[in-house]
Every structure is written in structure tokens, then in C-alpha cells.
């Protein structure tokens, strides 16, 4: 993990999201899918904490070598609004890469990646790495409306079968991502499932994969005081290996990628994590 | 400027610290995390997360939300219990920096049992007594808010401990009687103050924003209250070593706390935001000492005085 | 949305207010200034500056400095004395809006004398008892920080007053015992809470930043502490009318305070920054009531509950 | 007094100061010399209070009609720094005009205007109005160094005799404004004195005018919570007419212009107002 003062190379609007590309070679060369960065807010604001942002792209090679990209939902609150207003050539104080990344299947080949809203951004980085390892990638992605579906073209480019859903039917099928999962699992011989999003989606993924005995990994989000293991505020309830007890682990260092079978979803959901964030969290 | 300021090492209640800047309880991780984030030899000391007799799973998430220039948090004092702490966290923490072990209990006996486990243990530089939790015996919400009970708890820990004991006072509108009680009970130093009780509400969901409902306020918002508590207690107990906690983010904040009477400061929220803050603050204190041609941090301590304890009529003051 | 929300008038302890938003003590001027700045008929009420028996010249300048999301201030309760106040300020204030007259004393007798002057006086809608000043008789720094003394002072005022009496509690880590004492003594309502004691230091000049040295903290920084105090007291005394004070800047803040249990809010610092804030907040409350299809502000009061008074072990909570 | 959302017409650097011109006809048409405006800071900052700024120019007529100009010292702190960074076409939330203005002499003619640092800005507005009323204006102005002397050319344009002093002699004479007052009073038959600046300067002016029995008006600065009379934080100790008692009055409504003979300077200075603000207040 490195702390860098990173220049913003470019920033652009993508539907209802804002995507920022930073020059941060020290972070980019280490970053793996599922990891995130922690970006400092300006000193004189009345909101203090770093904002935690999933790495959408990280380029070690080629024309974009040493760059890092993340995506924010400008409507979420003051931090993402400030980030969205930053111009190219501004600087950000960034710590990363943080957290435990997704791991790649060794023997299995057919992967389904599931995401909703801005959480889809992190899946493309994963999809790329899977494809580079010769895996087959299908995707189920969604959002409330057309603008809220993140880069559907990119999904088509990276994967074999893509299901796009929107709540209002403005893009793809009308419906929810949860509803689209089973059909996608029917359409291809999926062996591994990856997902990113909110607790309701991820707990549904957990349930489906449990009943189908599919191995899965999910990237969670929980409110973080630091992002590097100091404060213990990013608690996620996780069952012990034998399932007899449970404990809170830290999303920032023990996660954000978890085996959904180990997360105690009911306990988490009851705690109030049902609508943590996102374009439709209100 | 001047070559006088060589070191900002301080000795506080007999504990030698490389700098007067400690990282506050609950903000130091488990011993493994900090070394990659900050030059630990330039940090004065680490206050461990608060440990209890039994392991605690802590409170439900969310555990932190922001407020104006602050954070409202509650971890429910998640910790592995004192035995596991001593085995698995203390060694790594102590290898890095002097460790103040923060301890809490809901009964007098629990404080005594934890102190027993820590007694004579290598790597424990001092004990910080957390006193903001509920008193299960007397059924009061804050065990340390009453001078009588504070005397009992701090007295018991101080009598048993072989290392200096710091009482982390819960704060309040008049902290002096609590400070006097802790001093009489045998505290070697005082941490002023713990995070005050707070609440954040999610009005859209119409429920508390934290999983635990209630929480504690930390961050820059607290600084004026911290400075006041330090100044009041320093006036009442001029020789008692004081550690300021609450809202220290910059070297300027730390200097203000020292001018008010603190011998050292703790940095909590600011460390979460910027893990290098404790080192930056220590460097800034050096610069300030040089500016003042002061030989040691002790020269700052208590240099700003406030008025008399019971304010006089303004005609006399004016 | 819905036509149900017609008015946000509230009755609190028998006082009818056009909106649940009052301007806090010390932030309303002398009666002449507000009318040019804000539509006063849309303000629920005005809490006068605190008056004392004798005129007070107040403390030396500077009287206000900024802190993180707050201000540290001390006016030394400058006021012309209760007689001159009644003659020269009360009429203009009362012509504009219901007036809560804030009163303070350093002795029991002083509270009694002021209440005597106000007794039956036209234009006094209620009395708010300021309890954060020093107790000159018992030589304690905060007269209202002790339940026994609070009972005496609030009891004396409440027995004499012909209008509702609100006790403005000094705050602290556990405000419930004070609230219970004030309620038993006859307070009709409680203002939660007064500004906590604070200190700002000018480290360049190496002296307190305020002329009075000590000061009080106000502003958004306080909100999480205000919400907690309101929620705790509302749980302990569900029928006691509560007025939230401390850190209310926006309609969202006011709604949160009401959800925690306040029937009305006071706006101090935010009024200084933006004199129209109280009206903007009142309008925002209307919008929120419409969003919730609620008929009156009373429907919000106490809708968010916190846990039990003495927190249980986290295993039970989890 | 009006509250307006005022567009910034232009902003420019003048020596070590930044001068902002706003479109604020409602305020401009009422503004008088010695008055000030209160400018709101952005909502999300950790500093809250409005910043109080003396009106440097206010144009009721001509090409600049409806505009208002004030000058800040960008190095003073976060508020003035933010104001100095504002660009043209940004908007400010401004309340004004505030406070009791300077009054003009009815019969007397020869005026000396004394100021130091950025406080000089307010004197030009006064000088203009005095000249427009057929008065003769002399000036003594100063600053720590060349850059800190505000618009010396303007002083020359508006007045007969101008003394410029700097601490380091980079412009005009080497010395302090206080030292230059007596010589300026010797050079012309001054009948009325006006001054703006910090307590040490203003109390020196008070003493000189007292011993020479010259009528005077001074514009003071004291930290303000509001600026419109609500909070009583802007206390200035003023003697009663007969001099037997004193009381605190409000700088924002009872001032900022005072008769220096009435201000109890020793009491104020003892209170800690000796170095309230300015380029050399540090
Ligand atoms: C591992 C991780 C990865 C994330 N990746 C992204 C990302 O790629 N893009 C993005 O826009 N956001 C991401 N988030 C969430 C992001 O950190 C918050 O949305 C952001 O902090 C909101 O800040 P704000 O100031 O805009 O709004 P705030 O007002 O602070 O919050 C707005 C809403 O976001 C929720 N929220 C705030 N902080 C968090 C948090 N740390 N985790 C979950 N919910 C939160 C709040 O409940 C609130 O409803 C991620 C969070 C985590 C923990
Ligand atoms: C009537 C009046 C007119 C003023 N006119 C101007 C002007 O034309 N141009 C200008 O730049 N400034 C003026 N000031 C002062 C201005 O309001 C402060 O300089 C400004 O608030 C500083 O804000 P800041 O955030 O930059 O710095 P802060 O960090 O808030 O303050 C920096 C320094 O300024 C002092 N200060 C802060 N507020 C005030 C205040 N209200 N009065 C006096 N000193 C203060 C502090 O003691 C500190 O040393 C005026 C003040 C008053 C009361
Ligand atoms: C996330 C978090 C966890 C904390 N955990 C503890 C704790 O376990 N024990 C304790 O005594 N204080 C705890 N604190 C309080 C800090 O030690 C410190 O006293 C407080 O945050 C005020 O200082 P600050 O403003 O520098 O953060 C915690 C604070 C935060 C923000
Ligand atoms: C400048 C100023 C003067 C005040 N004067 C008084 C006062 O005379 N009496 C009083 O009870 N409270 C006084 N207060 C406190 C307010 O009434 C209020 O309780 C406090 O500021 C917290 O609310 P806020 O955050 O909305 O400002 C004053 C506050 C300020 C900022
Ligand atoms: S966010 Fe601090 S430990 Fe995870
Ligand atoms: S600044 Fe508030 S009364 Fe003058």
C-alpha cells in the first residue's frame, strides 16, 4: 500500500457517473480487481473521512501505464460531489491499493459476474483479468435506468453473454438484477460467480450460489473510518469455518472480497446495511 | 533558528516517549497495520484498543458516520478479550512503540481482573482506564461520571498496577472534581477527555444512523472542549501529567493543548484520515519549539492560563 | 404530495408558536434588528438574551472566534439588567413574536428577584432559566450542573412564575438526572442543552483567544451531542416538552432533533450566519411533513428511538 | 440593509491584496463610506461566520453603476483566502450595507485621512465623497512594504498632500503611519481627522486629536459574530458622554465609525485587540 499525491489525468461523465483517471504508478502497478483506494477530502471541509473507491481500471502496461481509474456517483453526497467537480490536473491524496482482491479460479473456467449501479465499475477490471487468464466471462448488470447502467458496451466487449436490466426498461430487460441471475445461470454452464453491490443483491447471490453449490466471491461495502485496518468500524459479520460461531471482521483488510457463504447476511441486514449507498439509496 | 531543540522526547508519569504525540485508543489497529503506514519510531506511543475480560463482538454496523467536523462512532469496544490481546496483539504493538493498554469493565471486578492479567506483563508501558462505559453494578450509564465510583475503579487499578495508570475521564461541564478524584485515587496521569456521548440520525430511514443506535463524538469538533478541560484540570492539579485527547489534528492543535497544560496529546480521528498525522504533528511541534527558542516541549506546558475557577463578576474582570 | 400539512404551529408547554423554530438566546438582538432581516411572523419564538438583576457590561473583546464547525464565544452575559430590559427591549421583541425571557443569577435570590420582575409582565410568553453560570453562593463553576441546586433554582422560579418555565440544562455526559430534577422541580419544558464550556487559544500570542479567556462552544459541531441529550431525556421523560438547542442549522437538523424527541428547536449560530435560517428551516419542516404525509410536527417527535438507558452487553444487542 | 446573491464582475490582484467587484445594485445604491458588507462562506466548510469587509468603492452612477468593491488580504486566513480564489462570474451571498458610516463635516473644510494596510481601501470612498462636497483631503497612508501600500496612486489622485510610509522604506518614507501624523498636521491647516486601522494606530490618532483638540472619526474592526446587531460579540468599550462611566457598544451597528475621544482605548487594548488583523498581524 502506498500513499501518493496523484494528478488527475482526465475526468469524464459516463451516464450518471463520473469517472476519474489518475496518474498513480505506485498504486497502479500493485492494484488487483476488488481492491480500492482511499481518497482524502480537502482540509477545510466539515466532512472529514477519506472516500473509499473501488478501482475500476489499473494499467500496468501500454499507453495508459501507471494510471488508475475510479468511478463515483456524484449524487451520493458531499465527498463524491467534490470529487466529481475536480478538474484535470488537480491533485488527490490517495492511499492504495487497499483490501483483499478477488482471487481467480485455478481450474474452473466459466464465470458469471453480477453487479448493479456503480458497483459494476469494479467488475470490468476483474473481467479483463479473467479473460487474460483464458476464462469465459458472462455478466449480469443493471441499474435503475439507462444512465445508471455503467458502460454496457464494455460489458459486451469483455464477455460472452451479457444480461442488462433496468428498473424502468430503458435499457435491456425490465426488472432487477436479482431476477436476472437464475436465467443467466441457466443459459451457460457457470462454475464460479462474482458479484459486487449492496447487501440485498449480495445476499441474494449468496442464497442462489448456496442452493446451486456454486463457489462465489462478493465485494462488499461498509462504512469505513480509515480503510487500512486501524479503527475496526468496517465490521462485517462472518461465520467461523465450522459455522458454529460468528464474529465481526474488517471489510477493509479482511475484505472487501468475501466468500458469501461465510457472511451472516441476516445479521448484517438487520443492522441497517440494507441501503448503504448508491444511486437509488436516496 | 536555534540549535536548542534537539529532541522532543518527553517523560510523562515516568514513561519515556520519543515524542509527545500518541495514537489514541481505537485508532491503532491490531499491531500489524501501522508499520506500513507511518514511521513508528517517530510516534510517541500507542494506546491500544480498549480490552475487556471477555472477548466482545462489538456493535452492529454501520459503526461510523460523519457529523460536522466530526465522526459519530461506536465499535461496542470490539476486542478479543485481554488474554488473546496479550498473546496476539500486544507483542507487535510493543515492538513498535510504548504501549498504553486501554482497559474497560462494567464492574469493579472486571477492571481488577484485567489489571491482574496485565500486571508485570512485558510490553505494557502504562494502563489507560476507559471509564465511559455503563456501570452494570450500579446501573448507571457512565461508570466514570461519578467521583465516588471513579475513585473506586481507578484506585483498584492503580493499587494493582506496576506501571503508571492514566484515567481517561468521560468529560462533562465540570471535569475538575473527577480529575481530583482520580488523582487522589492514585492515577499517575489523566487523559482528557473521552469522546462525549452522541447520536446520529438517518432521517430518511427514520432510525439511528449507527447499528448500535448510540455513539460517541470524535474529531476536530471537540477541540475547544478538550482545551478547556485541560486548562481547568491543569489549574486545579498543576503537577498532574495530562494527555489531551479530542480534536487534535495539526501541530497547531497540539501546541494549543500543550499551552493549555497537556504534556502529551493523542491523535485519533486525524490518524484515521491521515496515518502520518502523528508524525507530521511531532515535526510541527519541533518547528514551534524552535520558533520559540524553547529547549523542550515541557516549556510550552501550561504557558496559557485561564481565569479563576469560579468566575468573578465581570466588573472585576474588565 | 398531500394537503394534510396545513400549518406547523405547535403548542409547547401551553405556549403557542407559529412554527417549532425559535431563535436562541443571545442571537436575537435587542428587538430592533431582526425585523429588517427576517419575516418574523414565520419565526416560532424569540429567546431573549440572558438578563440578570443588575446591568452587566459583559466581557472584554474579542468575544467570538471560530473553531471547527463551531464558534467559541463569551459575552459575559452583557445585558442592561432586568428592569431596563423590560422597559426597552421586551416590548419590541414581544411585538414581533412570542418571547421566552432568558434569566440568570449567581445566587438563588437573584433568580427569585428577576422572576419577580417578570411576574405577570405582558409580553413574557415563557421563562428560560440559564443555568450555566457560576454559583457564587456554593462557589461552584456551573450552577445547574448539580441536581440538588438545579432543583432549588428551577423550583423557585417555577413556583413564582405565572408563565411556563423552561430549564436550559448545562449538558454533560449524563443529562438525564438533571432533566429529572428539573421536571420534579416544576419545569414545564427543557432546553437541551446550553453551550458546553470551551477554550480557544491564540498560540502566536500565547494567550486565550477571547478577552474573557474562557468561552462556550456553539454551532454545528454540537449537533450529535444535542441529539443524544434529547433522545436520552425523551426516553426518560416522554411527556416533557423538549426544545433542542445546539448545532441546528438546516431543516434536516431540525427534523433529526424532532425525531429524537424535541417538540421545537432553537437556532443560534445559524441565525447569526444567515438571519433567514429560522424561516428556511420552518419551510423545510413543512416539506418534510408533506413528504411523510404527516399532519403536524408532533407526528415526528420521538419517532426514532435509542436503546435502553443502561446499555446491555453487546452479545444481547447483536 | 439588503441581502443579495451578487455576481463577481471582476477580481484582481493589487499588490498584496485582492480586490473584488460585485454586481449588487441594492447595496451599492445605499452604501456610504465607513460601512461594510458581510459575505457568507460556503456551506460545507469548517469555518462558519460571514466575513466582514469594508466597502472600498460603491458606484451609483456611470459605467460601474450598481457595483460594489471590497479588498481582502488573502493571507489573513481561510475566509479571505477563499474570497481571493473566487473567479469572475461566481456568486457571493452578501448582506449590506452595514454599520454607521462616516459623517461629513458641515462647515470645516480641511480633512486628513489616515490609514494603514488594507484599511486604506475604505478611505478612498470617503475621500471621493469629501472631495465631491468641496472638501480638501490630505492623506497619510502606509504599510509594511511597497506591496502592502494600497493604491498609492489613487491617494495622489484624490488628495492634495499625501504622505506614504513603509516599514522598510520600499515606498515613500521609512517609518510608521503613527510617526507621520504630526508632520502631516503641521503641513496643512487640518480641521478634521479620519482614520481606519488597528487599535494601536487608532488610539494614537485619538491621543493626537485630543491634545490638538481636533474633531475625529475612526473606523474600527472587532471580531463579529453577525454584523447586524444580533449577538453582541463585537464589543467596543465606549465612555458615557460625561466620561464618568463606560459601556460596551456594538461595533457593527453603533460603529464601526466612532468618535475616538469616546472609545476607552486602554481597556480595549488590554483586552487583546492590539493585533486584530492585517498583513502584519501574523
Ligand atoms: C470498499 C468500498 C468501495 C467503494 N467504492 C465506491 C465507488 O467505486 N464509487 C463510489 O461512488 N462509491 C464507492 N464507495 C462508497 C463511497 O465510499 C461512498 O459512497 C462515499 O463515501 C459517499 O461519500 P459522499 O460524501 O458522497 O456521501 P455521504 O453523504 O458520505 O454518503 C452518502 C451515502 O453513502 C453511504 N456511505 C457513505 N460512506 C460509505 C461507505 N464507506 N461505504 C458504503 N456506503 C457509504 C451513506 O450511507 C450515505 O447513504 C465504496 C465504499 C467502500 C467501503
Ligand atoms: C467592520 C470590519 C471591516 C473589515 N474590513 C475588512 C476588509 O475590508 N478587508 C479584509 O480583508 N478584512 C476586513 N475585516 C476583517 C475581516 O473580516 C477578517 O480579516 C476576516 O474575517 C479574516 O478572515 P479569514 O478567514 O481570512 O481569517 P481568520 O483566520 O478568520 O482571521 C485572521 C485574522 O483576522 C482576525 N479577524 C478575524 N475576524 C476579524 C474581524 N471580524 N475583525 C477583525 N479581525 C478579525 C483574527 O484575529 C486573525 O488574526 C473587517 C472586519 C470588520 C469587523
Ligand atoms: C473509530 C474510533 C474508535 C475508538 N475506539 C476507542 C476505544 O476502543 N477506546 C477508547 O478509549 N477510545 C476510543 N476512541 C476514542 C479515541 O481514543 C479518542 O479519545 C477520541 O476519538 C477523541 O480524539 P480524536 O478527536 O483525536 O479522535 C475511538 C475513536 C474512534 C474514532
Ligand atoms: C454569540 C452568542 C451569544 C449567546 N448568548 C447566550 C445567552 O445570553 N444566553 C444563553 O442562554 N445562551 C446564549 N447563547 C447560546 C445559544 O442560545 C445556544 O444555546 C447555543 O449557541 C447553541 O445553539 P447553536 O448551535 O444553534 O448556536 C449564545 C450563543 C452565541 C453564539
Ligand atoms: S475502516 Fe478502519 S479498520 Fe476498516
Ligand atoms: S456582530 Fe453581532 S451584534 Fe455586532
Amino acid at each position: 500500500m502506498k500513499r501518493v499525491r496523484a494528478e488527475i489525468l482526465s475526468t469524464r461523465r459516463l451516464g450518471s457517473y463520473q469517472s476519474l483517471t489518475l496518474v498513480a504508478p505506485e498504486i497502479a502497478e500493485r492494484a488487483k480487481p476488488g481492491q480500492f483506494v482511499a481518497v482524502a477530502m480537502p482540509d477545510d471541509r466539515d466532512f472529514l473521512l477519506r472516500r473509499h473507491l473501488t478501482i475500476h481500471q489499473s494499467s500496468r502496461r501500454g499507453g495508459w501505464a501507471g494510471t488508475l481509474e475510479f468511478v463515483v456517483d456524484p449524487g451520493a453526497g458531499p465527498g463524491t460531489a467534490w470529487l466529481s467537480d475536480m478538474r484535470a490536473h488537480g491533485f488527490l491524496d490517495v492511499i492504495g491499493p487497499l483490501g483483499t482482491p478477488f482471487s481467480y479460479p485455478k481450474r474452473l473456467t466459466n464465470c458469471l459476474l453480477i453487479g448493479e449501479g456503480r458497483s459494476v465499475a469494479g467488475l470490468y477490471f476483474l473481467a479483463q483479468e479473467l479473460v487474460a487468464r483464458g476464462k469465459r466471462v458472462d455478466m449480469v448488470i443493471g441499474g435503475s435506468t439507462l444512465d445508471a447502467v455503467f458502460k454496457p458496451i464494455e460489458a459486451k466487449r469483455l464477455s460472452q453473454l451479457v444480461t442488462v436490466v433496468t428498473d424502468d426498461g430503458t435499457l435491456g430487460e425490465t426488472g432487477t438484477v436479482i431476477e436476472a441471475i437464475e436465467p443467466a445461470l441457466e443459459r451457460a454452464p457457470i462454475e464460479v460467480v462474482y458479484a459486487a453491490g449492496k447487501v440485498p443483491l449480495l445476499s441474494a447471490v449468496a442464497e442462489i450460489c448456496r442452493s446451486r453449490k456454486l463457489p462465489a466471491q462478493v465485494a462488499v461495502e461498509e462504512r469505513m473510518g480509515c480503510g487500512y485496518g486501524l479503527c475496526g468500524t468496517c465490521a462485517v459479520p462472518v461465520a467461523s469455518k465450522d459455522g458454529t460461531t460468528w464474529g465481526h471482521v474488517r471489510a477493509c483488510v479482511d475484505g472487501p472480497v468475501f466468500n458469501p457463504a461465510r457472511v451472516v447476511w441476516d445479521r448484517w441486514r438487520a443492522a441497517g446495511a440494507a441501503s448503504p449507498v448508491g444511486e437509488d439509496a436516496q | 533558528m536555534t540549535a536548542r531543540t534537539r529532541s522532543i522526547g518527553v517523560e510523562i508519569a515516568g514513561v519515556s516517549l520519543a515524542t509527545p504525540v500518541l495514537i489514541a485508543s481505537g485508532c491503532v489497529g491490531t499491531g500489524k497495520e501501522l508499520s506500513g503506514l507511518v514511521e513508528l519510531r517517530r510516534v510517541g506511543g500507542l494506546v491500544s484498543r480498549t480490552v475487556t475480560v471477555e472477548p466482545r463482538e462489538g456493535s452492529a454496523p454501520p459503526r461510523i458516520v460523519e457529523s460536522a467536523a466530526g465522526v459519530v462512532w461506536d465499535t461496542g469496544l470490539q476486542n478479543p478479550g485481554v488474554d488473546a490481546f496479550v498473546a496476539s496483539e500486544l507483542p507487535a504493538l510493543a515492538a513498535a512503540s510504548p504501549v498504553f493498554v486501554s482497559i474497560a469493565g462494567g464492574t469493579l471486578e472486571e477492571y481488577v481482573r484485567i489489571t491482574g492479567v496485565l500486571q508485570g506483563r512485558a510490553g505494557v508501558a502504562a494502563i489507560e482506564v476507559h471509564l465511559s462505559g455503563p456501570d452494570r453494578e450500579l446501573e448507571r450509564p457512565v461508570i466514570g461520571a461519578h467521583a465516588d465510583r471513579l475513585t473506586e475503579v481507578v484506585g483498584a487499578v492503580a493499587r494493582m498496577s506496576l506501571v503508571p495508570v492514566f484515567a481517561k475521564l468521560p468529560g462533562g461541564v465540570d471535569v475538575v472534581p473527577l480529575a481530583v478524584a482520580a488523582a487522589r485515587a492514585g492515577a499517575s496521569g489523566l487523559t482528557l477527555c473521552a469522546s462525549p456521548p452522541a447520536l446520529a440520525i438517518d432521517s430518511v430511514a427514520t432510525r439511528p444512523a449507527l447499528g448500535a443506535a448510540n455513539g460517541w463524538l470524535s474529531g476536530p469538533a471537540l477541540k475547544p472542549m478538550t482545551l478547556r478541560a485541560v486548562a481547568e484540570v491543569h489549574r486545579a492539579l498543576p503537577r498532574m501529567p495530562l494527555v489531551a485527547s479530542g480534536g487534535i489534528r495539526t501541530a497547531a492543535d497540539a501546541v494549543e493543548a500543550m499551552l493549555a497544560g497537556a504534556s502529551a496529546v493523542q491523535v485519533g480521528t486525524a490518524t484515521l484520515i491521515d496515518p502520518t498525522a502523528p508524525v507530521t504533528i511531532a515535526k510541527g511541534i519541533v518547528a514551534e519549539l524552535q520558533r520559540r527558542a524553547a529547549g523542550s516541549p515541557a516549556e510550552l506546558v501550561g504557558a496559557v492560563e485561564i481565569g479563576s475557577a469560579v468566575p468573578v463578576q465581570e466588573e472585576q474582570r474588565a
Side-chain angles (χ1 to χ4, degrees), chain A, chain B:
Chain A
M1 160 194 25
K2 293 281 162 186
R3 177 177 177 185
V4 298
R5 198 165 159 270
E7 188 177 348
I8 300 172
L9 191 66
S10 68
T11 172
R12 64 206 162 118
R13 191 83 185 180
L14 289 172
S16 58
Y17 306 105
Q18 191 75 21
S19 175
L20 282 85
T21 304
L22 311 184
V23 183
E26 303 90 332
I27 298 176
E29 68 195 18
R30 290 172 176 80
K32 298 200 178 67
Q35 289 188 304
F36 62 96
V37 292
V39 180
M41 296 292 107
D43 266 354
D44 62 354
R45 300 305 144 122
D46 64 358
F47 48 98
L48 302 170
L49 299 176
R50 282 179 188 261
R51 266 47 186 175
H52 304 95
L53 302 156
T54 304
I55 298 169
H56 164 50
Q57 283 296 338
S58 166
S59 305
R60 261 156 292 185
R61 294 171 289 273
W64 296 97
T67 66
L68 190 79
E69 193 172 346
F70 59 76
V71 174
V72 297
D73 173 7
T80 51
W82 178 77
L83 285 166
S84 302
D85 286 347
M86 286 294 288
R87 311 260 173 93
H89 308 304
F91 284 86
L92 296 175
D93 168 352
V94 185
I95 297 180
L98 297 166
T100 307
F102 287 111
S103 57
Y104 311 117
K106 291 214 173 61
R107 284 159 300 118
L108 306 172
T109 297
N110 298 326
C111 307
L112 178 66
L113 278 53
I114 304 166
E116 134 193 285
R118 63 162 170 69
S119 301
V120 172
L123 296 180
Y124 296 129
F125 187 13
L126 173 63
Q128 264 172 18
E129 297 291 323
L130 290 170
V131 168
R133 281 166 181 74
K135 310 294 174 186
R136 172 203 158 107
V137 169
D138 286 3
M139 292 188 93
V140 177
I141 62 170
S144 54
T145 186
L146 186 144
D147 265 2
V149 179
F150 185 74
K151 286 195 189 170
I153 312 291
E154 183 89 352
K156 300 239 154 81
R157 194 177 64 75
L158 284 164
S159 40
Q160 306 288 319
L161 293 176
V162 178
T163 313
V164 176
V165 294
T166 50
D167 293 351
D168 60 3
T170 45
L171 189 70
E173 297 161 31
T174 306
T176 67
V177 171
I178 294 177
E179 291 159 0
I181 298 172
E182 296 273 9
L185 290 170
E186 298 300 333
R187 280 163 75 193
I190 299 300
E191 295 164 305
V192 188
V193 173
Y194 293 91
K198 292 179 252 175
V199 170
L201 172 61
L202 301 185
S203 61
V205 168
E207 180 52 29
I208 292 168
C209 293
R210 191 192 57 76
S211 66
R212 292 180 173 252
K213 297 203 168 54
L214 280 172
Q217 295 174 42
V218 298
V220 308
E221 288 183 15
E222 182 48 70
R223 280 179 170 267
M224 293 182 175
C226 64
Y228 11 86
L230 301 179
C231 69
T233 54
C234 55
V236 174
V238 165
S240 61
K241 284 220 169 120
D242 62 8
T244 55
T245 61
W246 68 276
H248 282 122
V249 302
R250 289 167 296 176
C252 67
V253 288
D254 303 316
V257 173
F258 289 102
N259 175 351
R262 293 277 299 282
V263 175
V264 191
W265 296 102
D266 289 343
R267 192 178 281 278
W268 196 6
R269 198 201 297 258
S275 58
V277 76
E279 69 283 4
D280 39 8
Q282 248 277 23
Chain B
M1 310 254 179
T2 160
R4 282 185 67 209
T5 315
R6 289 241 173 69
S7 135
I8 50 164
V10 291
E11 198 184 277
I12 169 162
V15 186
S16 293
L17 308 176
T19 79
V21 187
L22 297 101
I23 304 183
S25 180
C27 304
V28 303
T30 61
K32 290 186 274 288
E33 302 83 4
L34 270 173
S35 55
L37 289 162
V38 58
E39 255 185 292
L40 274 169
R41 63 180 180 82
R42 308 188 75 154
V43 172
L46 306 175
V47 188
S48 78
R49 59 166 148 175
T50 300
V51 295
T52 51
V53 173
E54 301 296 333
R56 289 203 188 175
E57 272 317 327
S59 47
R63 289 182 172 182
I64 192 165
V65 292
E66 287 175 304
S67 63
V71 294
V72 180
W73 60 273
D74 179 78
T75 59
L77 299 187
Q78 178 174 351
N79 79 91
V82 64
D83 292 320
F85 168 78
V86 162
S88 65
E89 297 184 18
L90 181 58
L93 291 169
S97 198
V99 176
F100 288 46
V101 178
S102 170
I103 66 169
T107 64
L108 185 60
E109 195 217 330
E110 288 178 1
Y111 281 100
V112 167
R113 280 175 58 195
I114 305 169
T115 311
V117 175
L118 297 176
Q119 207 176 35
R121 184 78 54 176
V124 181
I127 288 176
E128 186 178 85
V129 190
H130 175 278
L131 295 157
S132 298
D135 186 333
R136 291 205 313 282
E137 277 169 318
L138 304 186
E139 299 194 350
R140 288 167 173 169
V142 182
I143 197 165
H146 308 266
D148 52 349
R149 186 63 161 164
L150 184 80
T151 304
E152 240 177 357
V153 170
V154 174
V157 175
R159 276 189 300 277
M160 284 181 68
S161 177
L162 306 177
V163 294
V165 170
F166 287 74
K168 189 175 189 181
L169 301 185
V173 291
D174 183 14
V175 74
V176 171
L178 298 180
V180 171
R184 292 212 181 116
S188 309
L190 302 173
T191 303
L192 301 173
C193 294
S195 289
L199 173 64
I201 285 180
D202 177 340
S203 62
V204 175
T206 312
R207 67 176 173 208
L210 294 184
N214 285 328
W216 312 93
L217 180 62
S218 291
L222 300 178
K223 188 180 74 171
M225 293 188 285
T226 304
L227 296 180
R228 177 68 175 271
V230 168
E232 295 279 1
V233 173
H234 183 68
R235 180 176 53 193
L237 301 168
R239 281 198 300 264
M240 174 60 88
L242 306 180
V243 181
S245 178
I248 308 300
R249 172 162 58 169
T250 65
D253 298 333
V255 167
E256 290 169 20
M258 296 171 84
L259 292 173
S263 297
V265 300
Q266 293 183 6
V267 182
T269 306
T271 306
L272 304 185
I273 297 166
D274 176 359
T276 64
V279 171
T280 310
I281 291 171
K283 286 185 190 156
I285 294 173
V286 174
E288 178 68 13
L289 291 174
Q290 285 174 336
R291 199 184 69 75
R292 292 173 181 260
S296 84
E299 291 179 38
L300 299 180
V301 177
V304 167
E305 281 169 36
I306 56 173
S308 71
V310 178
V312 292
Q313 285 283 65
E314 82 296 337
E315 278 307 303
Q316 290 161 258
R317 182 166 59 211

